[in-house]
Amino acid sequence: MERIAASLRDKIKSVEEAAALIQSGSVIGCSGFTLVGEPKAVPHELARQKKADHLTILTGASVGDALDGELTRAGLLSMRYPYQSNKSMRNAINAGEVGYSDMHLSHMPEFINRGGLHIDFALVECAAVTEDGVIPSAAVGASDCFLYQADQIILEVNEALPLELYGMHDIYRVGHEPIPLTDATQRIGTAAIPCDFRKIAAIVVTNDPGGCPVFKEPDEVSAAIGAHIISFLKEEVAAGRQPALLSPIQSGVGSVANAVLAGLGSSGFTGLRMYTEVVQDSALELIWEGKMAGASTTAVSLSQKKLELFYENIDFFRERLVIRPQEIANNPELVRRLGLISMNTPIECDLYGNVNSTHIMGNKMMNGIGGSGDFARNAGLTIFATASVAKEGAISCIVPMCSHIDHTEHDVQVIVTEQGLADLRWKSPRQRAELIVERCAHPQYRPLLREYLKDAAKYGGHTPHNLQQALSWHTRYLDTGTMLPG
C-alpha cells in the first residue's frame, strides 16, 4: 500500500505552505484523542509563523503539547472545544485568555453535523490516504466528522505510523436510523474514512512518532480500589445481575482506571470485552494474555513499552481491536444497548452521590467532562472510583456538597475508594449519605462528615443540607491549605 494515492500527489506541499493557508479567525477541526493522533507539524509551524491568530480549535479529546501547548503559548487561540488536558491550555482557560466550552464527547460531532458550528479546516494526521479514503492513526476521535464537514482539508501523512493499521478501523456514518451494532467488537463500516478529495488543500508528509503517556504503577490505594470493585463484580455475577463473563467494560482515562483493569487480569475473570473510548496499557495486556477477547475504542493510548508491543504484534491486535469514531464509541444508544459496566474517576463526590469531574475548588477547570457523562447516564452499571483523600490528606474527595456538579446522584450507582465501596442503587438520599460516609470516606474525615449530617438533619427535607456550611470545607482549604479544621 502506498502512503499517498497517485491521484493526490500533486497536493503534496511543504509545511510552510500548508500553514500559510490558515487565516486568522479560522475554525479548525483537528484529529487526536487522549494524546494520540494529533497533527504536529502544521501547528508547530503556525506557532512559528504567528500570522494566523484568534483561532478556534476542536479535537476529539485531549491532545499533545505540539498542538494545544504550542498554539496557546504563541497566543494564537481564542476558543477551544470539547476537552483538553494540557497545562498551558488549562492555565490560559482559567486566566480567561482562551475561551473553553466543555462538552460531552458524543455531543460535539452530532452538533457539528446538524450545522451547529462551521468548520473551515480539517487538520488530520493519518497513516495514509488511498483511493478508499483516509486511513487514521491509532485514534479516530472526531476526524471523520471534521473531514465530512470542513471546507478545506489539510492532511499530515505520518510515515512513523505503520501501514498495518489499515483494517483496524471501523468507520460508520451516523444518520437517523438505528445504529446496527449489537456486539462490542462487531464491524459495521469501512476501513477508511470516506473523503471528498476535491476539498484537500494540502498534504504534508511527516515522520514524527510523537510522545507517549506515562502511567503510574499501581500503588496500595489503586490496588485496594481495584480489589473492592472486583469483589463487587463477583457478587453481581453470583446474584445473577451480571453474566459470568461480565458485560462489556468502559474504563476512563488515567492511572486509577488503568490499575483497576490490571486487577481484573488477576481476578479469575476471562473472556472479558471492552466497549470504551480509550484502550490503555492494562487493557492491551489483558488482550495479549488472552484474558480479554477483544475491545472497541476510539483511541489506543499506550506507554512507550506497550506501544512497541502493539506495533510488533499488530496483526494479532488487528483481529481483536476495533477503532471507531467517537460518535459511535460514546454513543448513548449503544452504551444503553450493550449494558456497559462504566468506570470513571471523579475529582470529588458528595454525601448524596453527586460527582464533580471537572473543577478544582468550584471554579478552576482541570480537564473536562470528556466521555464520562456519555457513559454514566446510559450504562447498565455506573461506578466512580477515587482515592478518599488528595494532597497528602489536605483534601477529602468525599465532601458535604460538591463545589461543582457534572453527574447528579441520578447517574451514579456506585462510589468506591480505597476505604470501601458504597452501592447506592435503590437507596434514599439519607441512606446513600450513611453508606458513603461509613464505607468511602477517609477515617480522619469520617467524624466531620457524621457531624455535618447530624447538623443538616435539623433543617429537615428530603436531602438535608446546612447551606451555610455545605461548602465550608472548600473555603477552609482555600484559606488555610487544608479541609481539616484547625
Side-chain angles (χ1 to χ4, degrees):
M1 179 190 299
E2 295 184 342
R3 293 272 179 188
I4 301 172
S7 62
L8 298 174
R9 289 177 188 161
D10 62 337
K11 296 179 181 289
I12 297 174
K13 298 183 184 296
S14 69
V15 67
E16 293 83 3
E17 292 173 313
L21 295 171
I22 297 174
Q23 303 299 307
S24 292
S26 292
V27 177
I28 310 169
C30 298
S31 60
F33 199 103
T34 56
L35 309 183
V36 180
E38 71 272 6
K40 307 167 186 67
V42 172
H44 176 77
E45 182 61 20
L46 285 169
R48 189 192 69 81
Q49 292 181 6
K50 291 188 178 181
K51 292 180 180 179
D53 57 11
H54 293 92
L55 301 176
T56 294
I57 297 293
L58 303 90
T59 62
S62 55
V63 292
D65 192 71
L67 177 52
D68 269 352
E70 290 205 33
L71 293 183
T72 299
R73 292 189 293 272
L76 303 182
L77 297 185
S78 65
M79 195 69 190
R80 181 72 167 87
Y81 306 90
Y83 183 87
Q84 57 75 42
S85 65
N86 181 268
K87 183 178 180 180
S88 295
M89 174 68 74
R90 182 186 305 123
N91 290 340
I93 289 168
N94 287 321
E97 297 166 358
V98 174
Y100 178 51
S101 182
D102 177 24
M103 301 173 68
H104 295 296
L105 297 188
S106 71
H107 285 184
M108 186 190 68
E110 181 180 6
F111 291 170
I112 292 172
N113 290 333
R114 290 181 177 181
L117 186 66
H118 184 85
I119 308 297
D120 297 308
F121 287 91
L123 177 54
V124 174
E125 180 183 83
C126 58
V129 53
T130 72
E131 297 295 348
D132 293 331
V134 174
I135 300 171
S137 67
V140 176
S143 297
D144 58 323
C145 169
F146 300 145
L147 290 170
Y148 298 150
Q149 300 298 339
D151 291 339
Q152 298 185 72
I153 294 169
I154 299 174
L155 298 176
E156 289 192 12
V157 177
N158 191 345
E159 294 180 336
L161 298 173
L163 288 172
E164 290 80 5
L165 284 167
Y166 181 73
M168 195 171 288
H169 307 93
D170 187 59
I171 310 300
Y172 178 86
R173 192 165 186 176
V174 176
H176 296 294
E177 298 298 318
I179 300 169
L181 191 149
T182 57
D183 183 77
T185 54
Q186 177 184 354
R187 293 181 179 273
I188 58 174
T190 60
I193 303 174
C195 179
D196 183 348
F197 292 155
R198 295 171 298 180
K199 298 197 299 182
I200 297 178
I203 297 174
V204 178
V205 179
T206 71
N207 194 323
D208 186 346
C212 291
V214 177
F215 301 107
K216 296 179 182 177
E217 290 294 323
D219 56 15
E220 291 183 3
V221 170
S222 59
I225 291 171
H228 292 313
I229 292 175
I230 290 163
S231 177
F232 171 73
L233 292 176
K234 288 181 176 180
E235 291 173 2
E236 291 293 287
V237 172
R241 290 187 290 267
Q242 279 289 324
L245 300 180
L246 298 182
S247 298
I249 296 167
Q250 177 268 327
S251 181
V253 177
S255 297
V256 171
N258 209 39
V260 171
L261 283 177
L264 278 172
S266 58
S267 67
F269 286 112
T270 59
L272 298 168
R273 296 163 296 151
M274 285 194 80
Y275 190 89
T276 190
E277 60 187 358
V278 58
V279 163
Q280 296 182 312
D281 283 19
S282 292
L284 192 85
E285 189 70 24
L286 290 176
I287 295 171
W288 181 243
E289 293 173 350
K291 296 175 181 177
M292 181 174 286
S296 168
T297 184
T298 194
V300 181
S301 181
L302 305 169
S303 67
Q304 184 62 45
K305 181 178 180 180
K306 287 299 187 287
L307 184 65
E308 292 170 4
L309 174 69
F310 177 54
Y311 282 169
E312 290 169 3
N313 300 278
I314 198 165
D315 292 338
F316 171 87
F317 288 111
R318 192 189 305 110
E319 299 300 316
R320 295 160 178 84
L321 277 173
V322 183
I323 307 177
R324 310 184 190 275
Q326 71 191 62
E327 194 173 12
I328 298 291
N330 291 56
N331 194 283
E333 172 192 344
L334 301 177
V335 174
R336 177 66 60 86
R337 180 183 300 154
L338 297 174
L340 303 188
I341 299 170
S342 172
M343 297 186 290
N344 290 285
T345 304
I347 289 173
E348 61 184 3
C349 308
D350 71 22
L351 291 172
Y352 298 110
N354 299 293
V355 165
N356 170 15
S357 293
T358 59
H359 283 69
I360 304 298
M361 296 297 143
N363 60 358
K364 290 190 175 181
M365 172 59 67
M366 186 63 183
N367 298 329
I369 196 169
S372 59
D374 299 325
F375 295 104
R377 171 63 62 88
N378 300 287
L381 181 60
T382 295
I383 301 171
F384 281 92
T386 178
S388 64
V389 293
K391 297 289 184 182
E392 299 181 341
I395 293 176
S396 174
C397 297
I398 306 296
V399 294
M401 178 183 281
C402 285
S403 59
H404 176 91
I405 294 176
D406 295 293
H407 312 283
T408 73
E409 74 271 21
H410 309 290
D411 301 328
V412 180
Q413 298 178 0
V414 176
I415 292 175
V416 57
T417 72
E418 80 284 359
Q419 300 297 321
L421 182 146
D423 182 355
L424 308 180
R425 295 173 295 179
W426 304 102
K427 300 296 190 297
S428 71
R430 295 179 188 233
Q431 290 170 332
R432 290 198 297 267
E434 291 178 6
L435 279 173
I436 291 170
V437 171
E438 300 306 325
R439 298 188 181 180
C440 298
H442 192 277
Q444 68 180 348
Y445 285 100
R446 204 171 289 153
L448 299 173
L449 289 165
R450 292 177 185 140
E451 181 181 341
Y452 176 84
L453 277 175
K454 183 178 179 180
D455 181 61
K458 298 174 184 177
Y459 293 83
H462 178 60
T463 308
H465 267 303
N466 178 346
L467 294 181
Q468 293 180 326
Q469 296 297 319
L471 295 175
S472 63
W473 290 27
H474 299 86
T475 57
R476 184 185 301 131
Y477 175 80
L478 293 172
D479 290 340
T480 69
T482 179
M483 287 185 172
L484 291 168

